[in-house]
Amino acid sequence: MIEKHANESKMESEAELRLYVMVLRLQNKHETALQVLTGKLSEVWKHEHEKNRLEREILWTLKQWPELNQAAKKAMKQDPDDWSLYQLYLDSVFGMMAKQLHSSSTETTEDKENSSDLAVDSDVTAAWKFLGTLVAEEKSKTRAALRGPLLAQIELVSRSRVSGLNVYLKKVASPMEMLYDFYELFGDRACCYSDLEHYLRVLDDKEQSELLIRLAKQPALCNPDVQDEPIDVQQAVKVMQRHICSVQLARSLGLHLRLSVEDKKMVVGQMMEHFRNGVKYGEELLETEVRPNDAYALLAAHVVIDIASDTDDAAVYWDAIAILEEAYTLSPANSQIRLLLVRLYSILGIFDPCAKIFNAMEIRNIQLDTIGYYFLNYAPALGYFKTAQRLVKMTLAYFFVNKKDGPEYVTTAYKSGSFHKILEIVQFQQRVQRSISFPMTVYDVAAGELLIGGNCLEEVHDVLSNTMLWAVTQLFPNLVDNRDARALDTWDPLERRLSNQLVGLSFELDLQWLKVRSITFRLLYLVVSLLRLLSSPSASSQDSDLPTTGIPDGCKEMHLLSAELQAVVETLGGNSHLPAKFPVQGPPESRIIAYLDCGHAGIMVSLVSVAIALYQAAFVNWTAAESEPCQRVTEQTIPKVVSILEEQLQKCKASFYVGSGEKREFAGACLQSVVLMTETFVHMTIILAAFCQLLESKHSTKRQKKKGKTQAMLDVMESVKSAIAPLHTRSIEMMQEFKSELDQIRQDITADKLVSLRISSVVRIVIQCMAYTLYNK
């Protein structure tokens, strides 16, 4: 239809033409789209700049390098600081060189060179000369030079070295000299480091050493109170920024990593001295503005993190927290300080300050999906259950609003003629709906409701019968990672940074955690719902997710889910990449790591096997012959569960403290294990409560009257109850032991390190489990 409209020359608006080009590109008809942009129809396109941009994009897609080279050169003359133009230009140069390597004929390039006013630069020599003219033009101007041309020369040298085509450039360009020249020109700009960091890898060892020597000579800002003459604020900020950039570059070249612990402590002292010297020059700034000296505090904190890694002592993080808190007091709007504080507090098992930072940052909308995981991962894992519920429900509301408002945005774009925006809106909406954070928040809400509420099996059933829990499982194969894994700045050498492999591993581990959550909740749902079905068959009409054939298929599904849970745990246990060492500046460690070590899966699988046996026996009215497997499974499995529980409880208690004697202190990192142990008690309590209700004779009164319950049947039930009784008794004792240990920790903890742990909420839930287990016994 659009094509017919175009052929009949009925396109009279730019919006229509833009839509036509967009459709052609989606259909991979790039040649036709290029003809439209360069033909008669393009006359209705009012914005020449956008038309030329689309033309260059299509030329790049079609790999028409000579034409792209000429188009990029023409645009670079008009806008010499547009970095995307330089990227396209260099792509065309190296594209033509690669083509020439595979073909002995260069007729196409020569024809193009002869048919245009602009020569085609088909090798690095021509490209170097062209970029050199742009650099010379910039340096000759009276205004401040633009970064684009000089940075493009560095990019050309970098690509040439990587591809092994630097024979000519080796004679005319020294990468080290070029980097230092760029630093000399733009070192007082905050963007200088981010411009140069990618090119440090092209330097050999000798060049790196020479650059370090030059950077070490850069002067720092003196204490303003001892200066002979007052210095202008603007000039002081430039001096400070130039020195900060030199330190950042030196750190990226590995200078700090090669120092001893004592030398690193000296560097921390120097950075904090520079930080305090620069405080005066940010006093006039608004509270919402970032201070120019903040980078010194961040650099000092990063060196302290290095010391913690070298000494394997998490307590050293307190020094980094003290540095960051000092900087945060003076510069409350700096997001880097905030996020690094959140990361360090969370590593130490403290979340109260993180909740305050979350409120101060006013994280909303898409930020909940990209950086919200810094808070959402830790709040429930550290026992901050009520705050976690508030955060996850806020995030869940964002996902629902995005889905609801999407069609409205599309309609608005259509009515306003912004057709090209419709695709962007749809793609954005789909990406948000496929975010791994969506099912994660759904499961976190359910987990929190089970921990905080769930005072009876009816409440547990209401929580687990939420259809959203099962609907999100359909998203698992297509989930995407929208987290900003590199939200925290880092100046570490490339080999110490968060790699793409680790980002992918983090995403994969969170996917497995989702699977574990899904299987666990489904098993608990089946345990509770099949009990309702046995007790009152009419209740099954309310459970649309139950197997249609009742108990036999329900037991079969539980068996399959148990096998799947075991397979996930065994696969992860055999993963050679685990445990992986994630940098502090990377994403938080997935909760599946602590889960693999807590024995929860073994307890769940064992108890579900007992549940299957019990339901199968109850289904055949506890006949002696059919109940023998139930007795055997129960007698064999319950001691195993008790053994796993005792082992995990001792392991959990052993992780409460680090050090000995006067250096003995609470290890906040153990809270993840404490919370998982608490979840184990909660899930075990739910299953035991179901067992108790099933085995109580009052639930079988009607059936007994109808069929007559023989003494043999009662003996079978009593035998099963006797086999389960030790687990009831020992679990209550272990919960009491667990609670006593947590109470002792609460008494031992002091406030001299800003500690505010949510042990009390964990203790309350353990007490709840104890009371519920005693009641059902």
Side-chain angles (χ1 to χ4, degrees), residues 260-271:
S260 65
V261 172
E262 292 303 317
D263 288 338
K264 286 178 181 175
K265 290 179 180 179
M266 288 179 60
V267 171
V268 173
Q270 292 169 1
M271 292 297 105

Side-chain angles (χ1 to χ4, degrees), residues 657-673:
Y657 294 96
V658 292
S660 58
E662 295 182 355
K663 293 185 177 181
R664 183 173 180 263
E665 59 182 22
F666 177 72
C670 77
L671 279 179
Q672 289 205 41
S673 300

Side-chain angles (χ1 to χ4, degrees), residues 78 178 208 218 309 332 345 498 591 672 692 718 724 727 754:
Q78 300 169 353
M178 295 177 69
Q208 288 186 13
Q218 294 301 313
S309 178
Y345 274 127
L498 182 69
R591 294 184 69 189
Q672 289 205 41
C692 291
E718 286 301 320
I724 294 175
L727 178 57
L754 305 174

Side-chain angles (χ1 to χ4, degrees), residues 25-58:
R25 294 183 70 184
L26 288 173
Q27 294 178 333
N28 290 324
K29 296 179 179 179
H30 301 291
E31 295 89 349
T32 308
L34 187 59
Q35 290 172 7
V36 171
L37 289 172
T38 57
K40 186 177 180 181
L41 278 175
S42 65
E43 294 175 1
V44 301
W45 205 300
K46 298 178 182 178
H47 298 85
E48 191 72 18
H49 179 78
E50 185 183 0
K51 181 174 77 73
N52 292 337
R53 178 184 61 80
L54 287 172
E55 184 180 341
R56 290 191 295 270
E57 289 178 2
I58 295 173

Side-chain angles (χ1 to χ4, degrees), residues 79 96 256 574 605 683:
D79 187 1
M96 284 186 283
H256 292 164
V605 169
H683 295 171

Side-chain angles (χ1 to χ4, degrees), residues 44 65 81 93 124 224 237 293 307 393 421 456 528 615 735:
V44 301
W65 303 127
D81 207 36
V93 172
V124 292
V237 171
N293 60 326
I307 296 173
K393 286 181 179 179
K421 291 293 182 184
C456 64
V528 175
Y615 287 146
M735 288 181 197

Side-chain angles (χ1 to χ4, degrees), residues 328-392:
Y328 185 45
T329 303
L330 299 169
S331 184
N334 192 312
S335 60
Q336 288 297 314
I337 293 175
R338 287 167 162 176
L339 289 178
L340 190 53
L341 272 172
V342 168
R343 190 79 169 91
L344 294 176
Y345 274 127
S346 302
I347 289 173
L348 294 172
I350 305 162
F351 195 77
D352 277 296
C354 303
K356 294 175 182 176
I357 291 173
F358 178 87
N359 293 331
M361 291 183 72
E362 297 183 348
I363 294 175
R364 297 290 184 272
N365 301 325
I366 190 62
Q367 290 177 320
L368 291 167
D369 193 18
T370 55
I371 61 174
Y373 72 94
Y374 273 90
F375 305 89
L376 295 173
N377 276 37
Y378 282 120
L382 298 178
Y384 214 91
F385 304 122
K386 288 186 177 179
T387 299
Q389 285 295 89
R390 179 174 65 85
L391 296 181
V392 296

